[in-house]
Amino acid sequence: MDAAGSQVADECAQYAGQYQSGFITTQGGNLLCSKIIHLISNNQVKSQVSKVLHECEQKMYKSVAFPAIGTGQAGQISAKVADEMLDAIVEFTRQKSVQHLQTIKIVIFQTNMLRDFYESMKKREDTDSSTTESWLSVFKSFFWGRKQSSEKKKFMILEKKVNLVTFQICGESQEKVDAAESWIKHLILKEQCETTISDEAIESFDETQINILEDLRRRKQVTIQFLNDLSPPQIKISGISRDVYSVSLEVQNMVQQIKSTEEEQSKAELLYNLVEWRYPGSNDSFVAFDKLTNVQLEHAKMSKKLYLNVKIKKKNYKVDLNTLNATDDQGKTINLQRVRKDEGKL
């Protein structure tokens, strides 16, 4: 409330007692949001989350961020809160009438509490493995924003067409012909293998990764099969052993890159809720850096680095991390801001 400012405190006092739905809504005040929904304290976490989600949909809000409700002064157990909050979100996302709310975030700072929410998500994944779209992917869609893309491909095969080879075997007896046939089959099978890679990150493969795999399929003697309807999603690679091994390494690298990118985005999102770096805009206003640059600036300052090179409006700037001055290649200097959101102060 201190960070939101006196305007929000005055609104809360004005609307006190007018909370028939279990909450009141005020302006965002000094916080970087348009509205704040204030919940009246009780132990019905699932009901509270559900009411807020439906209120956001009714008011046509596109995003909402929750704290771990009730785990502060109310002293509720974080694992129980995680179950109730995620139950409410699951029920909400199942409703076909949802049109406006696209992003749901739960902001968690305590490591042990983050583990409770992760375990709650995994528990749903394990108990409903037959669902065509995994719960983790549903949560990913709402926590990081829904992709406005076409319907997900659940099954796809990248297969190289090859000409058939016919062996004609002649021998002194049927026994020797059979032995030769067996030997040829053994050689063929010896060079063939199949491997399967299972990972939630495969569901995030987009056109870029598909094009890379299509190029590998053209250059290698392999068939690549996507099984996105399984949980976790799978990529099955079959063909000549050396090519299967080579392609599987490429797939594993792509999976790791996606995981690293998502992890960096997650860290950037969490840090952005704590500290925001800004550069001058127009009319004496300031503009927030993108979240990845925000992370780079904050980490550099925390590491006690003296300078960091960044881009502002496509121009190169050298930032003095002590004075917060940024100088471009022509020697022009601008002043940056570093705002701690938890304190509402520079």
Side-chain angles (χ1 to χ4, degrees):
M1 186 67 76
D2 292 337
S6 59
Q7 176 189 354
V8 174
D10 292 341
E11 279 193 80
C12 287
Q14 177 184 348
Y15 296 137
Q18 303 177 24
Y19 48 84
Q20 292 86 351
S21 298
F23 60 83
I24 58 175
T25 304
T26 67
Q27 299 299 315
N30 296 331
L31 302 182
L32 297 179
C33 60
S34 61
K35 303 287 183 182
I36 302 175
I37 297 177
H38 305 263
L39 297 173
I40 309 304
S41 178
N42 64 47
N43 293 327
Q44 305 300 318
V45 173
K46 180 179 176 181
S47 174
Q48 288 184 312
V49 173
S50 180
K51 287 180 180 179
V52 170
L53 293 175
H54 284 89
E55 174 73 5
C56 291
E57 176 65 17
Q58 183 179 353
K59 299 295 185 182
M60 295 188 290
Y61 300 148
K62 293 191 177 298
S63 65
V64 62
F66 290 93
I69 296 173
T71 57
Q73 294 182 352
Q76 294 201 52
I77 299 172
S78 57
K80 175 178 177 291
V81 169
D83 287 341
E84 293 195 27
M85 292 188 71
L86 295 180
D87 282 345
I89 293 173
V90 167
E91 291 180 7
F92 178 77
T93 58
R94 281 176 170 170
Q95 299 175 16
K96 296 181 180 180
S97 60
V98 177
Q99 296 179 353
H100 305 289
L101 188 58
Q102 297 179 3
T103 305
I104 302 171
K105 299 178 182 178
I106 299 178
V107 181
I108 304 168
F109 299 109
Q110 297 89 340
T111 304
N112 61 325
M113 195 177 298
L114 184 62
R115 188 180 301 111
D116 288 332
F117 275 80
Y118 176 77
E119 290 299 329
S120 182
M121 292 168 68
K122 285 295 294 179
K123 182 165 57 180
R124 287 163 175 75
E125 183 81 354
D126 295 337
T127 57
D128 199 2
S129 59
S130 61
T131 308
T132 55
E133 184 177 12
S134 69
W135 289 127
L136 284 181
S137 63
V138 170
F139 291 133
K140 185 192 301 179
S141 170
F142 270 84
F143 288 165
W144 305 112
R146 281 180 173 174
K147 295 182 179 178
Q148 304 297 323
S149 60
S150 59
E151 184 178 356
K152 183 182 67 176
K153 294 181 179 178
K154 294 184 178 179
F155 185 88
M156 181 171 59
I157 298 177
L158 301 178
E159 188 171 21
K160 185 168 185 175
K161 293 183 178 180
V162 296
N163 295 325
L164 295 176
V165 175
T166 302
F167 290 88
Q168 292 184 340
I169 306 172
C170 301
E172 296 177 351
S173 65
Q174 185 63 44
E175 183 180 353
K176 290 185 177 181
V177 170
D178 292 342
E181 181 184 0
S182 178
W183 177 73
I184 292 172
K185 287 182 177 179
H186 173 74
L187 289 178
I188 293 173
L189 292 175
K190 183 180 178 181
E191 286 298 315
Q192 297 290 315
C193 79
E194 181 179 281
T195 188
T196 300
I197 299 171
S198 303
D199 201 287
E200 285 291 338
I202 291 172
E203 194 170 40
S204 298
F205 275 33
D206 58 18
E207 187 176 357
T208 300
Q209 285 80 32
I210 299 300
N211 288 339
I212 292 173
L213 291 177
E214 174 63 19
D215 179 64
L216 287 170
R217 194 272 308 162
R218 283 194 296 265
R219 294 187 288 108
K220 306 289 186 178
Q221 299 287 336
V222 294
T223 295
I224 302 173
Q225 186 176 357
F226 286 79
L227 301 172
N228 276 3
D229 55 341
L230 299 180
S231 179
Q234 295 181 357
I235 290 180
K236 187 177 293 185
I237 307 165
S238 55
I240 297 177
S241 300
R242 62 178 181 273
D243 290 338
V244 169
Y245 176 75
S246 174
V247 173
S248 66
L249 288 179
E250 292 285 348
V251 173
Q252 289 168 0
N253 287 336
M254 285 189 281
V255 166
Q256 189 56 50
Q257 288 173 4
I258 288 175
K259 284 184 169 182
S260 298
T261 299
E262 291 180 347
E263 184 177 355
E264 287 301 315
Q265 290 174 343
S266 176
K267 291 179 179 178
E269 184 73 24
L270 289 174
L271 182 60
Y272 187 75
N273 289 307
L274 295 175
V275 179
E276 181 179 282
W277 286 74
R278 303 170 179 171
Y279 61 86
S282 57
N283 300 325
D284 297 326
S285 64
F286 279 80
V287 180
F289 281 94
D290 65 86
K291 294 175 183 178
L292 292 180
T293 304
N294 192 71
V295 168
Q296 294 170 0
L297 285 164
E298 185 63 20
H299 284 179
K301 184 168 181 62
M302 291 297 98
S303 301
K304 301 187 183 300
K305 291 184 178 180
L306 298 178
Y307 301 98
L308 182 71
N309 294 321
V310 300
K311 281 189 177 293
I312 302 175
K313 298 179 180 178
K314 299 182 179 180
K315 293 178 63 177
N316 295 319
Y317 281 83
K318 185 176 183 179
V319 180
D320 185 325
L321 294 166
N322 289 322
T323 64
L324 304 190
N325 291 330
T327 306
D328 66 11
D329 295 336
Q330 284 72 45
K332 180 182 177 182
T333 298
I334 59 175
N335 295 320
L336 306 184
Q337 285 186 347
R338 176 178 177 268
V339 179
R340 291 183 60 88
K341 294 184 179 179
D342 55 343
E343 297 178 357
K345 301 177 182 178
L346 293 181

